[in-house]
């Protein structure tokens, strides 16, 4: 791996760590700020929401932007906001600085992806697989790191440590050998409408909205469920429940073999969703160790659906690939943002099991949509 690629991977891991660092801390933050699970869930949901709308809004605000310059400026803002998160003593201030982070994280990820796509044009597919693996690994590292720091020091030091990591990232970014513009989509309404008229895209977008909705719901409520099962559970032990998230790296690197085994993308998606339904159903168990192991299977089901759906969405239209993938991410992250909030209401009102039953119904609907539209994808 060359120097530029390593710098981008490091920046990606740090950014994703910032995104998901609050997730295992949510019960602690809820107690610290005297807030409900619903309010605590907003710390993750707000960033996912801005990632959903970024492909639309950023295209109109930012015409031509130097990718490296945008990356440095956005990273500097992220550094400052993390310091203020550590200093925040009220829910309102904490949420405000997470909102500030939500504004710049899409800019950082867009810049990193643009640089990665253009820095070595002979290995674009390999670099994009590295990007996907880096986002998954960063989400895993961020959760475990924050749980460990919060348990052994305090939650404030999670954000101070991340600020230090961002500072190192900025120094490394300045050494990047790249001079180019960020690849920002400026969608036309007519183009969006034409893509949505294609039922195949509607099926894929529908699938990923609800698959990520369920996944976000499970992972966001998980810390509260863990505390419900074992009241004295530390933040680090809660964070370890997310280790199964690392299966996303394995799935993304073996997706071709998985598709070959199930004889096509749409068959793979259908089997992955059915497998996902069974794993969600078994999350009703009340043993922490068994819950830990089951989450590996949940992640396999989700990431298989996500990885193969991404590949399928990018292969269905020869032109406008930037727009189709941008729309995919919009539906994906809208599902994630909704899934970070709505299930919190269900959990608070009716409990964990009822929330899982709602998820199962939604996923059954997804499996029916895939099954009855599978012939659309036959070549």
């Amino acid at each position: 791996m060359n120097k530029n690629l390593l710098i981008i991977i490091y920046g990606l891991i740090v950014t994703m760590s910032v995104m998901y660092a609050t997730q295992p801390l949510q019960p602690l933050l809820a107690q610290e700020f005297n807030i409900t699970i619903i309010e605590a869930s907003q710390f993750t949901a707000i960033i996912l929401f801005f990632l959903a709308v970024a492909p639309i809004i950023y295209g109109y605000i930012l015409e031509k932007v130097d990718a490296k310059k945008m990356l440095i400026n956005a990273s500097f803002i992220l550094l400052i906001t993390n310091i203020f998160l550590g200093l925040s003593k009220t829910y309102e201030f904490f949420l405000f600085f997470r909102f500030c982070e939500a504004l710049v994280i899409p800019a950082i990820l867009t810049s990193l992806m643009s640089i990665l796509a253009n820095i070595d044009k002979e290995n674009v597919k390999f670099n994009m697989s590295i990007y996907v693996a880096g986002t998954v690994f960063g989400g895993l590292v961020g959760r475990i790191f924050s749980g460990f720091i919060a348990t052994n020091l305090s939650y404030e030091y999670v954000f101070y440590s991340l600020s230090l990591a961002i500072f190192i990232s900025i120094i490394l970014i300045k050494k990047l050998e790249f001079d180019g513009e960020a690849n920002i989509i400026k969608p036309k309404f007519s183009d969006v409408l034409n893509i949505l008229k294609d039922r195949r895209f509607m099926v894929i977008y529908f699938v990923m909205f609800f698959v990520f909705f369920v996944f976000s719901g499970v992972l966001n409520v998980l810390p509260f469920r863990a505390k419900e099962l074992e009241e004295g559970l530390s933040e680090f032990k809660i964070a370890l429940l997310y280790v199964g998230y690392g299966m996303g790296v394995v799935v993304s690197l073996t997706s071709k073999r998985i598709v070959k085994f199930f004889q096509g993308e749409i068959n793979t998606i259908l089997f992955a969703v059915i497998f996902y339904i069974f794993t969600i159903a078994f999350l009703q168990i009340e043993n922490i160790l068994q819950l830990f192991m089951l989450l590996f299977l949940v992640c396999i089901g989700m990431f298989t659906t996500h990885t193969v759906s991404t590949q399928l969405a990018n292969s269905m239209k020869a032109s406008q690939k930037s727009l189709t993938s941008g729309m995919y991410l919009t539906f994906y992250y809208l599902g994630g943002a909704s899934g970070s909030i709505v299930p919190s209401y269900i959990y608070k009102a009716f409990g964990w099991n009822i929330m899982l039953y709602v998820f199962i119904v939604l996923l059954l609907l997804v499996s029916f949509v895939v099954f009855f539209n599978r012939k659309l994808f036959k070549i």
Side-chain angles (χ1 to χ4, degrees), residues 141-210:
V141 169
R143 291 175 173 106
I144 294 175
F145 167 84
S146 69
F148 179 79
I149 296 290
T151 300
N152 291 286
L153 295 170
S154 70
Y155 81 87
E156 292 93 343
Y157 283 97
V158 171
F159 304 106
Y160 300 147
S161 302
L162 285 169
S163 291
L164 177 62
I166 297 164
F167 179 71
I168 294 168
S169 181
I170 293 169
I171 293 170
L172 293 172
I173 289 163
K174 287 183 177 181
K175 295 180 180 180
L176 264 177
E177 295 164 3
F178 181 79
D179 183 25
E181 293 171 353
N183 183 26
I184 298 169
I185 309 159
K186 189 175 181 180
K188 291 179 181 176
F189 184 72
S190 58
D191 291 335
V192 171
L193 215 58
N194 284 334
I195 289 167
L196 292 178
K197 284 177 182 176
D198 189 329
R199 276 175 60 195
R200 296 174 303 164
F201 283 106
M202 284 302 293
V203 169
I204 294 297
Y205 297 156
F206 178 87
V207 167
M208 278 323 301
F209 178 92
F210 285 107

Side-chain angles (χ1 to χ4, degrees), residues 60-80:
Y60 286 94
I61 297 174
L62 305 169
E63 284 284 346
K64 290 184 177 181
V65 185
D66 182 278
K68 186 176 173 181
K69 190 175 180 180
M70 183 164 77
L71 185 54
I72 292 169
N73 292 339
S75 296
F76 181 74
I77 294 169
L78 199 62
L79 186 155
I80 300 300

Side-chain angles (χ1 to χ4, degrees), residues 31 38 179 261:
Q31 188 179 0
I38 296 161
D179 183 25
F261 179 81

Side-chain angles (χ1 to χ4, degrees), residues 82-126:
N82 263 272
I83 293 171
F84 279 107
L85 282 175
L87 296 171
S88 298
K89 298 300 176 189
T90 65
Y91 162 71
E92 290 78 13
F93 273 113
F94 196 93
L95 186 62
F96 171 74
F97 290 115
R98 282 298 275 182
F99 169 78
C100 294
E101 292 191 339
L103 290 174
V104 298
I105 283 176
I108 293 172
L109 294 177
T110 300
S111 300
L112 288 169
M113 185 181 276
S114 291
I115 294 169
L116 197 57
N118 291 288
I119 214 159
D120 181 9
K121 291 188 177 180
E122 290 181 5
N123 297 294
V124 173
K125 285 187 178 179
F126 172 75

Side-chain angles (χ1 to χ4, degrees), residues 255-267:
S255 59
K256 282 186 179 178
R257 291 182 182 179
I258 297 170
V259 170
K260 190 178 179 181
F261 179 81
F262 287 107
Q263 299 179 335
E265 284 92 349
I266 202 66
N267 289 338

Side-chain angles (χ1 to χ4, degrees), residues 323-338:
L323 182 57
T324 55
S325 61
M327 287 174 64
Y328 176 91
L329 290 174
T330 294
F331 280 93
Y332 177 76
Y333 283 119
L334 274 177
S338 308

